[in-house]
Amino acid sequence: MSIKRSVIAGTGSFLPPQIVTNKDLEKKVDTSDEWIVQRTGITQRHIAGEDESTVTMATQAANKAIEASGYKPEDIDGIIVATTTPDNTFPSVAVQVQAALGVPPGVAFDLQAVCTGFVYALSVADSMIRSGACSRMLVIGAETMSRILDWDDRTTCVLFGDGAGAIVLEAQEGEGTVKDRGVISTHLYSDGRLKDLLYTDGGPGTTGKAGAIRMKGRDVFKNAVSLMNDIVGEVLDANDLNDSDIDWLVPHQANIRIIQATADKLSMPYEKVVMTVGKHGNTSAASIPLALDTAVKAGMIKKGDLLLFEALGGGLTWGAALARF
Ligand code: ACO
């Protein structure tokens, strides 16, 4: 049976050059390098400079993904940007990237599912490509988390970083099996009853300001471990696969302990898990495409490898996707 698949044709990413180390944070809040590394695995994060924003970082990452795909901006007919930190309440980051890159008129919009944003965007783009609405799309995760942090709150400010990652996703014919290249299955969830575990204390419709991140860290941690364990099992079952069929786990990069718990559930050696949280911190919707591009550029992920993406974030939202690179 011949079916349409959404194949990753190119990846790209951008990290702002300014690096803030744990030692730098020791000077701002009552914390220590040892505490941060032990609890999270994070040693440093990139923070946007004054002239950098979600739009500028998304544009750079998207430009590199287009270059890697061998296409030109005029070949793109859809853009989805997963972000919680848009430059403006409107217009969307996506239309600003479209204008900056010279992508012709077509579909362009933002999608907000916090740290799960990229998995949601991948799922929506895959549906649009398989339905024939678009044939070659940019799917971007981009965040300037530093602008919604309370830099006096040591329980949150040490965790996050800024950056952007992007992929070009294009329609190709497949045979309808897990051997096909492209997105094989996506699995999305949310549970608004858990909204108070992770939120911002403001927004355009209430305070008129973006607000700052507030979090019940321990509860988020517990939910993340158990929901990620469940969802990776669901992906394997849905596709009739065993743990050993997965070549690479490309998880949301929030905390090394959450990632290792998911890898343990899959009996995956840590060498098969892409880990960038140590150097990037938690870049929310940007973390998976940043990790993917890092692993592709390092020659780790190769054409034909079976990838498992998974993420959890505010909402709570969570999700996973299986794709052959
Ligand atoms: N430096 C030093 N001490 C700190 C810091 C800090 N930066 N932050 C908190 N502490 C203190 C607390 O005040 C507390 O002190 P107390 O015992 O005197 O009250 C102590 O450390 C332990 O605090 P806990 O919150 O219980 O520490 P925990 O082991 O749970 O680790 C952490 C906290 C790292 C936030 C963990 O819960 C976690 O990673 N949760 C997941 C949160 C997350 O990743 N959120 C991101 C968005 S969601 C996502 O992306 C998955």
Side-chain angles (χ1 to χ4, degrees):
M1 184 182 69
S2 174
I3 65 159
K4 215 178 266 184
R5 291 285 193 200
S6 314
V7 174
I8 300 172
T11 66
S13 62
F14 178 82
L15 286 161
Q18 183 183 193
I19 289 172
V20 173
T21 64
N22 293 349
K23 288 275 172 210
D24 294 329
L25 289 177
E26 283 179 4
K27 293 176 204 141
K28 289 185 180 204
V29 287
D30 181 14
T31 191
S32 67
D33 176 51
E34 192 194 359
W35 191 96
I36 302 171
V37 171
Q38 221 173 56
R39 303 284 173 129
T40 70
I42 299 167
T43 61
Q44 62 166 58
R45 67 288 292 143
H46 292 251
I47 298 292
E50 270 175 30
D51 56 350
E52 288 165 325
S53 71
T54 301
V55 169
T56 67
M57 295 189 293
T59 302
Q60 300 244 28
N63 201 21
K64 290 182 194 164
I66 293 174
E67 263 177 39
S69 73
Y71 291 109
K72 298 261 180 288
E74 51 268 35
D75 299 320
I76 303 292
D77 58 9
I79 304 175
I80 306 179
V81 180
T83 188
T84 305
T85 48
D87 286 27
N88 309 86
T89 303
F90 74 88
S92 66
V93 174
V95 299
Q96 297 186 65
V97 170
Q98 181 187 30
L101 290 176
V103 170
V107 182
F109 61 96
D110 290 358
L111 183 155
Q112 206 274 79
V114 209
C115 299
T116 321
F118 184 77
V119 176
Y120 267 67
L122 185 67
S123 179
V124 173
D126 177 47
S127 299
M128 293 180 75
I129 285 176
R130 283 190 292 109
S131 75
C134 291
S135 58
R136 198 168 295 120
M137 300 184 78
L138 271 170
V139 185
I140 305 168
E143 300 280 17
T144 318
M145 298 305 280
S146 61
R147 304 231 162 95
I148 57 164
L149 288 174
D150 174 351
W151 284 99
D152 294 323
D153 176 7
R154 69 175 183 171
T155 68
T156 51
C157 77
V158 302
L159 301 176
F160 295 90
D162 300 333
I167 61 172
V168 173
L169 206 59
E170 73 165 345
Q172 286 186 17
E173 289 301 312
E175 294 186 348
T177 74
V178 289
K179 295 209 168 94
D180 290 345
R181 288 190 69 213
V183 177
I184 310 280
S185 73
T186 61
H187 308 253
L188 304 182
Y189 291 97
S190 52
D191 184 350
R193 292 172 301 180
L194 300 171
K195 64 184 166 42
D196 295 335
L197 299 188
L198 186 54
Y199 61 97
T200 61
D201 58 6
T206 50
T207 59
K209 297 196 170 83
I213 294 177
R214 304 295 171 206
M215 182 178 75
K216 295 190 175 119
R218 196 163 272 199
D219 293 328
V220 174
F221 187 94
K222 279 191 213 144
N223 275 285
V225 170
S226 100
L227 292 169
M228 291 304 94
N229 277 357
D230 290 349
I231 206 163
V232 294
E234 178 185 320
V235 174
L236 294 179
D237 289 348
N239 295 289
D240 209 9
L241 294 171
N242 297 314
D243 301 346
S244 57
D245 293 321
I246 306 296
D247 293 306
W248 291 99
L249 178 65
V250 190
H252 169 50
Q253 307 284 322
N255 182 314
I256 201 166
R257 293 184 295 145
I258 299 174
I259 296 173
Q260 287 174 342
T262 311
D264 292 345
K265 159 80 182 170
L266 285 167
S267 311
M268 277 191 100
Y270 297 155
E271 303 84 69
K272 288 285 181 187
V273 181
V274 181
M275 293 214 208
T276 49
V277 66
K279 296 270 187 250
H280 300 174
N282 180 348
T283 58
S284 188
S287 92
I288 288 179
L290 259 167
L292 174 65
D293 186 51
T294 304
V296 169
K297 295 284 149 57
M300 294 154 63
I301 292 179
K302 298 196 173 62
K303 199 170 165 178
D305 283 351
L306 192 59
L307 313 181
L308 177 52
F309 304 107
E310 44 87 351
L312 175 136
L316 291 183
T317 56
W318 66 102
L322 184 76
R324 195 172 289 284
F325 190 67

